Amino acid sequence: MNIENMTFRDRLGNGDGSQKIQRIGPHIDGIDNRTYQELKRRIHQILLDRIDLESMQRLSQEQTRREIKALVERLLEEETAVINDIERKNLVRDIQNEMLGFGPLEPLLADPTVSDILVNTYKQVYVERHGKLELTDVVFTDDAHLLKVIDKIVSRVGRRIDESSPMVDARLPDGSRVNAIIPPLAIDGPVMSIRRFSAVPLRMDDLIGYRSLTADMAEVLQRLSRAKINILISGGTGSGKTTMLNALSGSIGLSERIVTIEDAAELQLQQPHVVRLETRPPNIEGKGEVTQRALVRNALRMRPDRIILGEVRGGEALDMLQAMNTGHEGSMATIHANTPRDALTRLENMISMAAASLPTKAMRQQISSAIGVVVQVGRLTDGKRKVLSILEITGMEGEVITTQEIFAFRQTGMDANSEIIGHFCATGIRPRFLERLSAFGIVVSEKIFDPTKQYH
């Protein structure tokens, strides 16, 4: 028989498809979770032992799913364990996910309402929906099972995780960001965090619909991007920095060459001329590491119109600011900080990592001349993400960077359902960047900056 045309059932057992399997479990009247997990593990192991995995790769995923379903149902017919139809369907689905996907995580990855998946050891998985954390009934069989899924994820992007390298950053095929840490650093067992990204990236109109900002604020930000004003997006973990960066990048012209630099590639730019660069960790001998700073320096030789840095974390801040000051206008980056002023202080600290001998005033001059606007985003206590402030950097006075807030979100209280009450408003200050916009032929109505207008 031609192996190309053989089904899994033909290859089960000794090749004639007639061999009976051994009984997997004792006769029981029902099935609890522990028995279910044991049944799933053992059927899965039988399939792995007796299926020609090389031939399986030649089939389409849909064909493979059908074959796995037929085999699992056949094995269950020979079982003495009594399971109902729902458990039977779940068992087929779970084994398909184990062999073709990421096991118990597959249903969560298929759920569009899940924005974060937090695996706290094999027996506890939380998800975030609409800004709120909730415990799921998803579990792994044991630590080894969870480690196997983690290894499958990280190996797909050329990363590794083991005792000598117990922390790793990786990404899923859809761009979702993955972080994993295992023993001995994680005391209770392997831990994994997945930051989900939608298949279709959110656009500025979507953010307006979610009331993350007003239409006036969005208009100003989009025009700042078109006028090639350098923008720094600041915020805490999970505040929506990357989402805002993606939305802002939508205003970049289609004719511009964009180079993105990230630790783990997650940006979803829609322009046709995008070059994506990603850092590389050291290998098992501790060699071969490629840092963000090295990629920023290399990007300058790639004739970029704009450089987009996924997140500024260290000495690459100095190279980024120098790029912004030497012709690569309209560049963008994100930074972890709780306020715009904290973001500028962090930038100063990062510059000192790369050039400790540089005077403080020179560092601040670099920052004030390079960055035009700081956009502060945040996740409120009710789980909603909003643009909290749009701040313009106006220059230096003595040794102090001067700024002025253009738009802000003002929190005024909290209702009975713990929902934040507040409003967006302009501060009434006429920004200096209007001159820059005018030079690019971009007109912004003065009414946008009217402080009497409030948007709830």
Side-chain angles (χ1 to χ4, degrees), residues 272-317:
H273 200 163
V274 177
V275 177
R276 305 169 71 206
L277 305 180
E278 185 179 51
T279 61
R280 186 177 71 182
N283 60 21
I284 196 167
E285 290 86 20
K287 300 177 181 179
E289 181 180 16
V290 180
T291 64
Q292 281 202 108
R293 188 171 190 192
L295 290 179
V296 171
R297 289 179 172 178
N298 188 78
L300 297 177
R301 306 184 184 102
M302 298 174 67
R303 199 256 174 228
D305 290 310
R306 304 198 194 211
I307 296 175
I308 296 182
L309 199 57
E311 184 179 335
V312 187
R313 289 190 177 130
E316 68 272 6

Side-chain angles (χ1 to χ4, degrees), residues 18-75:
S18 61
Q19 179 179 333
K20 296 285 186 180
I21 68 165
Q22 63 179 352
R23 300 298 185 191
I24 294 178
H27 178 78
I28 54 176
D29 295 328
I31 185 167
D32 56 22
N33 185 60
R34 183 175 179 179
T35 307
Y36 175 87
Q37 294 295 335
E38 176 65 13
L39 183 63
K40 182 183 77 172
R41 184 189 66 80
R42 298 183 71 173
I43 289 182
H44 181 209
Q45 189 58 52
I46 289 173
L47 293 179
L48 291 178
D49 289 343
R50 303 187 183 184
I51 283 177
D52 186 338
L53 295 178
E54 183 178 346
S55 297
M56 183 179 78
Q57 293 175 355
R58 299 173 188 169
L59 301 177
S60 69
Q61 189 169 47
E62 188 56 38
Q63 287 176 311
T64 307
R65 283 189 173 276
R66 286 199 301 268
E67 292 288 352
I68 291 174
K69 179 182 178 182
L71 269 178
V72 172
E73 289 178 344
R74 172 186 158 191
L75 295 177

Side-chain angles (χ1 to χ4, degrees), residues 42 54 67 72 106 139 149 156 165 179 184 203 220 231 253-254 258 278 284 292 296 377 395 397 407 430 441 450 452:
R42 298 183 71 173
E54 183 178 346
E67 292 288 352
V72 172
E106 283 295 320
V139 294
V149 172
R156 289 191 177 191
S165 180
N179 175 270
R203 300 182 183 276
V220 169
I231 299 174
L254 300 180
I258 307 167
E278 185 179 51
I284 196 167
Q292 281 202 108
V296 171
V377 295
E397 284 186 7
F407 294 99
R430 186 181 187 276
D450 182 358
T452 62

Side-chain angles (χ1 to χ4, degrees), residues 343-380:
L344 300 181
T345 302
R346 281 207 70 207
L347 264 185
E348 189 178 322
N349 293 336
M350 291 173 188
I351 294 172
S352 66
M353 295 179 189
S357 60
L358 196 65
T360 300
K361 185 174 182 179
M363 294 183 194
R364 293 174 181 171
Q365 285 174 334
Q366 283 265 19
I367 294 171
S368 64
S369 61
I371 298 172
V373 170
V374 180
V375 180
Q376 182 70 35
V377 295
R379 182 172 59 176
L380 306 181

Side-chain angles (χ1 to χ4, degrees), residues 239-278:
S239 58
K241 298 186 297 297
T242 303
T243 300
M244 176 56 68
L245 185 56
N246 270 322
L248 269 178
S249 69
S251 303
I252 298 176
L254 300 180
S255 62
E256 297 187 62
R257 177 175 169 84
I258 307 167
V259 177
T260 68
I261 299 168
E262 303 172 84
D263 267 339
E266 54 188 348
L267 291 172
Q268 297 169 292
L269 273 61
Q270 305 303 304
Q271 285 76 8
H273 200 163
V274 177
V275 177
R276 305 169 71 206
L277 305 180
E278 185 179 51

Side-chain angles (χ1 to χ4, degrees), residues 192-221:
M192 178 167 57
S193 307
I194 301 176
R195 173 67 50 80
R196 296 288 311 286
F197 290 98
S198 59
V200 179
L202 295 178
R203 300 182 183 276
M204 198 63 81
D205 289 342
D206 299 314
L207 299 183
I208 295 171
Y210 291 139
R211 296 185 179 179
S212 295
L213 76 170
T214 67
D216 287 348
M217 296 165 70
E219 181 184 344
V220 169
L221 289 176

